[in-house]
Amino acid sequence: MSGLGTTSGPVLACGEVHTCLLPTSDAVDERAAEQLLRLRTDEPVRLSRHPSRYAVSPGLLTGVDCWMPSVTGTRSRAVGTVTARAAIVEGRVLQSSAYFSAPACGPDRRQSWGHYLVRPGCLIPVGRLPVRSVAEGFLAGPRQNELDIGPIAESLTARISRHRILDLSPPLTTADTSLRWTATPAAGGKETSVLFTKADDGLRTVELRLPHATTPAAAAGLCEDLALHDWLLTTVAYKLDGLQAGYEDSRLLKVLCSLVDHLLHLWMPLSRVDRTLHTAWEELDENSGYSRQWNALAQRIRDQLVLRAVRSRSELLTSD
């Protein structure tokens, strides 16, 4: 299927990304990452070393025949497959993603499965798709008996996290996050726009307006990048907020060193995002100040480490 808004393309793409620290004490190497992500035998794991180490699994398809989410209560049935994939960033962070696209309309009657299987990652409506209602309903969360692709991503995370080569002893206690997103073509040639919201339960929602012909895979890649950097910022900020003045130096130093060893070098926005979608991150960054906040947090960690080195040196000289 072609990109968003094209004659033969979808009018809507939706997905969910789950991000967590890989449950192991040290970052896994390239060979181990490949082993963790070998979810199919007929397609290889894709590996990249520049500008950072990145491994992504082949896609898995899950067949669905269900009612689509809706905020208006309009009943809209769709049939097809949801694409899921997992990625490991720098051997340290695990992301699982599930997404699909949908055209404006489909046959008035349900077809045989062969009709849907030749369109991987696409949910074809039976009749016309109420695009706005479905998009808003997806972001709000599914109601009973409506499509929910979150468990597809969750099951992929669980499958990889239980792999026997992981020691289940991560160096930091961190919270998982999930990012639910929708993408529609920008109307009338307008520029890319992004509406990003956060909830206290770790859920983020992103509503995107993207250039015509943007592929669902490119939209998913952008949202995976947003999810990764939101998780990094959230995790580091939480760890620093928890460092109270009464902490023992050894405990505080352990947290600071773990952040440096495992997370600080992962901040690299847009390194694998389609160039036509860079403005989405730039808009988000301008409005939220993500990069400014990250730079301030990273500098705070460095300052804390320098301060403790100076203090230790001073105490050593005093004892002499």
Side-chain angles (χ1 to χ4, degrees):
M1 181 172 283
S2 304
L4 288 168
T6 58
T7 303
S8 59
V11 294
L12 176 68
C14 303
E16 190 161 319
V17 188
H18 290 216
T19 306
C20 65
L21 191 69
L22 195 66
T24 192
S25 53
D26 294 311
V28 298
D29 59 21
E30 189 175 279
R31 184 175 181 180
E34 188 173 10
Q35 187 175 353
L36 288 167
L37 298 178
R38 194 178 297 128
L39 306 179
R40 290 170 49 180
T41 58
D42 59 332
E43 284 192 33
V45 174
R46 290 187 289 117
L47 302 170
S48 173
R49 298 186 180 94
H50 306 288
S52 60
R53 292 192 300 124
Y54 182 81
V56 61
S57 74
L60 299 178
L61 296 178
T62 300
V64 297
D65 181 347
C66 58
W67 299 111
M68 297 292 274
S70 171
V71 292
T72 62
T74 302
R75 303 290 272 176
S76 174
R77 181 184 179 189
V79 187
T81 55
V82 175
T83 297
R85 64 189 181 193
I88 296 176
V89 183
E90 279 288 351
R92 188 69 278 177
V93 178
L94 171 63
Q95 288 192 290
S96 296
S97 177
Y99 66 95
F100 65 89
S101 61
C105 59
D108 291 334
R109 295 183 179 181
R110 190 195 187 285
Q111 307 296 298
S112 66
W113 268 111
H115 177 79
Y116 304 104
L117 292 178
V118 296
R119 299 167 175 83
C122 181
L123 297 187
I124 300 177
V126 178
R128 183 164 292 278
L129 182 75
V131 178
R132 189 68 258 161
S133 178
V134 169
E136 293 178 1
F138 184 86
L139 291 177
R143 294 181 290 187
Q144 189 175 8
N145 298 323
E146 292 181 342
L147 173 67
D148 184 3
I149 66 173
I152 297 176
E154 287 175 4
S155 66
L156 201 50
T157 296
R159 173 178 172 180
I160 295 168
S161 297
R162 292 194 299 261
H163 200 286
R164 58 183 175 79
I165 69 173
L166 301 176
D167 61 24
L168 306 182
S169 298
L172 290 163
T173 301
T174 63
D176 301 350
T177 61
S178 57
L179 183 147
R180 191 179 296 149
W181 61 271
T182 63
T184 53
K190 293 183 180 179
E191 294 183 357
T192 299
S193 67
V194 52
L195 179 60
F196 186 96
T197 59
K198 285 187 178 184
D200 293 334
D201 59 359
L203 174 67
R204 288 84 169 98
T205 60
V206 179
E207 185 178 353
L208 295 165
R209 299 283 190 276
L210 299 179
H212 282 232
T214 299
T215 65
L222 167 65
C223 292
E224 288 161 359
D225 194 66
L226 292 175
L228 170 64
H229 290 86
D230 173 77
W231 180 87
L232 285 170
L233 185 61
T234 300
T235 299
V236 173
Y238 174 78
K239 286 298 180 183
L240 292 183
D241 285 345
L243 294 181
Q244 301 171 2
Y247 270 30
E248 297 178 6
D249 264 10
S250 59
R251 185 179 177 187
L252 186 147
L253 190 60
K254 181 180 178 181
V255 173
L256 293 176
C257 289
S258 294
L259 292 176
V260 172
D261 289 341
H262 298 282
L263 298 184
L264 283 196
H265 61 291
L266 301 186
W267 187 267
M268 206 172 296
L270 302 176
S271 58
R272 291 181 176 84
V273 175
D274 190 299
R275 286 186 177 275
T276 62
L277 303 182
H278 283 198
T279 53
W281 166 265
E282 292 164 0
E283 179 182 334
L284 173 64
D285 198 28
E286 181 178 352
N287 293 335
S288 65
Y290 265 28
S291 292
R292 294 192 300 275
Q293 184 179 2
W294 176 264
N295 291 336
L297 292 173
Q299 187 59 52
R300 182 181 170 193
I301 291 171
R302 297 186 186 101
D303 290 344
Q304 288 283 343
L305 290 172
V306 170
L307 179 63
R308 269 145 190 80
V310 170
R311 183 179 298 170
S312 296
R313 174 70 173 170
S314 177
E315 291 173 352
L316 182 62
L317 293 174
T318 301
S319 64
D320 290 342

